[in-house]
Amino acid sequence: TLNYFKAAISDFEKSTFEDNLQAQNKLVAVIEGAPKNVDARGTLCLVYKELWSFVKQDVRDMDSLFNMAKGTRAIDPTGINSIYCEISKLMIMGKNKEARGVVDYALNLSQFATAPVLYQLKAELLAVEDDFKSASLYSEKAMALWPEWIKPSISLGSYESMNNRFPESVSAF
């Protein structure tokens, strides 16, 4: 199970559609074998968020998302993985203001202050508000904390482009 989880994280780090699909399949397998694995559950919530625009977004998809978030919260109500699930759920539902409140709350807790995923989620939420300058800073922080994860670098390139900082955009990619 641990090796399968590590392989799923490696797929997630690559940040492509295909790799996220592979990560999803591996994480589901890990959770089927170890239903209380909160790390796998939290990562699966993040993968769901990445894949959301590619699914039907029907009642079944919403139920999967809600059940994963609810189950993770039941296992570890105050843990980082419950927070990832809650933020992912809120972002998928378009409740960006609420999601930002959860991100800000979590980043203000000392035990989560160095969580790269939180910085990237905050960047994404700032970008939705067209605050690309601040979004760039948060993506840079996520990159520094988790250099193997490609998504912050891709996001940074996009945010720099939106700021008309084209040389910086090209170097981010």
Side-chain angles (χ1 to χ4, degrees), residues 8-30:
I9 293 297
S10 179
D11 290 336
F12 178 72
E13 287 175 338
K14 296 172 191 164
S15 302
T16 69
F17 171 75
E18 293 83 7
D19 289 309
N20 278 319
L21 275 178
Q22 289 179 16
Q24 175 183 262
N25 293 336
K26 289 172 185 162
L27 291 165
V28 167
V30 169

Side-chain angles (χ1 to χ4, degrees), residues 53-139:
S53 60
F54 302 102
V55 299
K56 291 180 185 175
Q57 301 177 11
D58 58 12
V59 173
R60 191 173 138 220
D61 292 330
M62 291 298 287
D63 282 348
S64 294
L65 172 69
F66 287 171
N67 288 334
M68 184 58 59
K70 182 179 177 183
T72 305
R73 188 174 48 251
I75 295 165
D76 187 19
T78 60
I80 191 72
N81 292 295
S82 293
I83 291 170
Y84 291 159
C85 286
E86 183 65 18
I87 295 166
S88 295
K89 181 184 80 173
L90 290 169
M91 289 176 77
I92 285 170
M93 295 172 60
K95 296 184 175 185
N96 295 326
K97 189 175 191 177
E98 292 89 341
R100 185 160 172 199
V102 176
V103 170
D104 288 340
Y105 169 78
L107 283 171
N108 283 320
L109 298 174
S110 60
Q111 68 266 37
F112 303 139
T114 58
V117 172
L118 291 176
Y119 285 93
Q120 180 56 31
L121 292 169
K122 174 104 182 220
E124 293 172 34
L125 291 163
L126 288 165
V128 168
E129 298 172 4
D130 294 332
D131 185 355
F132 300 110
K133 186 174 183 179
S134 297
S136 292
L137 297 173
Y138 279 90
S139 281

Side-chain angles (χ1 to χ4, degrees), residues 26-48:
K26 289 172 185 162
L27 291 165
V28 167
V30 169
I31 293 165
E32 285 173 349
K36 294 188 178 196
N37 184 324
V38 290
D39 293 327
R41 295 175 76 86
T43 306
L44 184 57
C45 286
L46 296 169
V47 169
Y48 280 166

